[in-house]
Amino acid sequence: MDIYHYLKTFEKKRGALIQSQCMKQAPTHIKNIYHHYYIKKEKDFIALLHFIKENGNLEDVLAAIEYLKKIRSNRISTESIQFICEQSDEPNASTDYDDIAKQAEANLKAYQKLFYTTEKGVM
């Protein structure tokens, strides 16, 4: 059974989520996420399942949870997981940083040339 197929039903009957057959047959990672972080937070868990279904990114979600556990293990939420997953989706983040660093170095070299040039009669 595909748990993502029943999301609309779970939105209407959140209490049915934990005892449903599709939750029992869900991938182990999904069950572990629920049992560790979402007990009695079914609405947030369903929102996370929607996010996983729309983006096909269970691996990214698992990586985000591991990252959050390293920095603050007691504050794992759907919003923070989504935020981290969306941050990692930026393809040019490191490229932009490299471009900025190169431009900054060029500016510093230009300033250095200005300060260390000597003209006749100035010194």
Side-chain angles (χ1 to χ4, degrees), residues 88-100:
S88 64
D89 286 344
E90 295 180 17
N92 295 328
S94 62
T95 306
D96 291 343
Y97 178 76
D98 292 339
D99 292 341
I100 292 169

Side-chain angles (χ1 to χ4, degrees), residues 41-59:
K41 298 178 189 174
E42 283 79 14
K43 184 177 180 180
D44 291 336
F45 183 66
I46 292 167
L48 181 66
L49 290 176
H50 274 292
F51 180 72
I52 293 170
K53 178 184 178 187
E54 291 169 4
N55 299 305
N57 61 349
L58 179 58
E59 294 81 20

Side-chain angles (χ1 to χ4, degrees), residues 77-117:
S77 66
T78 300
E79 292 84 15
S80 57
I81 292 170
Q82 288 175 340
F83 178 77
I84 290 174
C85 288
E86 289 169 358
Q87 296 301 311
S88 64
D89 286 344
E90 295 180 17
N92 295 328
S94 62
T95 306
D96 291 343
Y97 178 76
D98 292 339
D99 292 341
I100 292 169
K102 287 177 184 175
Q103 184 62 45
E105 286 179 25
N107 290 345
L108 288 173
K109 287 178 184 177
Y111 284 127
Q112 183 180 18
K113 286 180 183 177
L114 283 174
F115 286 118
Y116 291 109
T117 55

